[in-house]
Amino acid sequence: PEQLAVITLGARSNLCVNDSVRARALSGSLHLNDLCKKATERGKEVGGGTLKKSAHIMADAYLTQMMDLEAMARRGRAPVDGGCPYYGSRQAAREADVLLVPYASLVNGETRRKLGIRTEGNILIFDEAHNLLEAISDANSVTFNILQAAAAVDDLATYASRYETRLSPANAVRLRQLKQFCVLLHRYIGGLEKSGAQTVGAFLVSIGADHFDLPGLSSFL
């Protein structure tokens, strides 16, 4: 129905219309995200961007006319009343009747919170639902290899040598626990002979870290 406000949420890689930022984003979407955040913080300064300030104009446009990602980007480039499609779509999402989002935006709780997506009391419709389990797994998983584990141990050791004496006793203990956890993880990965699936509890027992306060370490980070 024409009365419904339908908003599509996309990534910066789809919606960014700041050519200066896009030109400097050489290493993929993560670099683009960082450059975008820095540009919006700088505003009118050198290397900054002001498109975010016009996001409310984009939000109004998207709420009154249904657009796909390409149309949203074109609207953002309009010489008059243009603005940032990325931030505009996120403002519009607060008042939308229907949200069209990628699986990853919906199946991960932290991502839902950042986007302001509420699932309680709403109807969820999954297109291509045979991919849902894989999407849930990907959205709540992380890939970690032995080189990253080794780098984490080295970085934490360097950090501790420089700053541990400046930390509070509680934080100093957390830092040592975090370093020890990474050492155990590095040792375990280095000794793996074949892949396998384990529960979180069994995995922690396998690496000898079942006594660690992981929520506490997470809060420390």
Side-chain angles (χ1 to χ4, degrees), residues 1 9 40 50 71 75 84-85 90 98 129 143 145 152 193:
L9 294 181
T40 54
T50 59
R75 180 67 179 77
C84 177
R90 273 146 181 75
V98 179
T143 300
N145 59 43
E193 297 180 355

Side-chain angles (χ1 to χ4, degrees), residues 72-86:
M72 291 166 68
R74 287 196 299 270
R75 180 67 179 77
R77 291 182 179 277
V80 179
D81 290 338
C84 177
Y86 178 80

Side-chain angles (χ1 to χ4, degrees), residues 181 184-185 187-188 192 198-212 214:
F181 181 82
L184 293 172
L185 191 59
R187 186 180 302 159
Y188 176 79
L192 277 179
Q198 299 184 62
T199 64
V200 173
F203 172 72
L204 292 176
V205 171
S206 297
I207 70 173
D210 51 307
H211 60 289
F212 280 80
L214 294 187

Side-chain angles (χ1 to χ4, degrees), residues 24-165:
R24 287 181 282 136
L26 303 178
S27 57
S29 59
L30 291 178
H31 192 206
L32 177 62
N33 291 346
D34 290 339
L35 290 174
C36 171
K37 293 173 183 177
K38 291 178 181 178
T40 54
E41 290 171 359
R42 291 174 180 170
K44 293 183 179 181
E45 298 177 12
V46 176
T50 59
L51 288 172
K52 184 179 178 180
K53 293 183 178 180
S54 302
H56 64 284
I57 298 177
M58 295 294 92
D60 291 341
Y62 300 152
L63 287 168
T64 55
Q65 181 181 358
M66 186 169 65
M67 306 182 197
D68 59 17
L69 293 175
E70 290 76 14
M72 291 166 68
R74 287 196 299 270
R75 180 67 179 77
R77 291 182 179 277
V80 179
D81 290 338
C84 177
Y86 178 80
Y87 286 106
S89 63
R90 273 146 181 75
Q91 287 188 21
R94 303 168 190 166
E95 303 178 46
D97 298 305
V98 179
L99 284 178
L100 305 178
V101 300
Y103 281 155
S105 300
L106 193 60
V107 298
N108 182 277
E110 181 65 16
T111 304
R112 286 200 308 274
R113 185 189 63 78
K114 290 180 179 180
L115 294 176
I117 297 175
R118 300 181 303 275
T119 56
E120 297 81 2
N122 290 313
I123 298 173
L124 306 180
I125 300 175
F126 292 93
D127 185 28
E128 300 289 334
H130 59 274
N131 295 321
L132 182 57
L133 292 179
E134 182 179 356
I136 292 174
S137 177
D138 290 343
N140 294 279
S141 302
V142 63
T143 300
F144 193 66
N145 59 43
I146 191 170
L147 294 179
Q148 292 170 316
V153 172
D154 292 341
D155 289 346
L156 287 169
T158 301
Y159 183 88
S161 66
R162 294 180 180 177
Y163 302 110
E164 186 173 352
T165 56

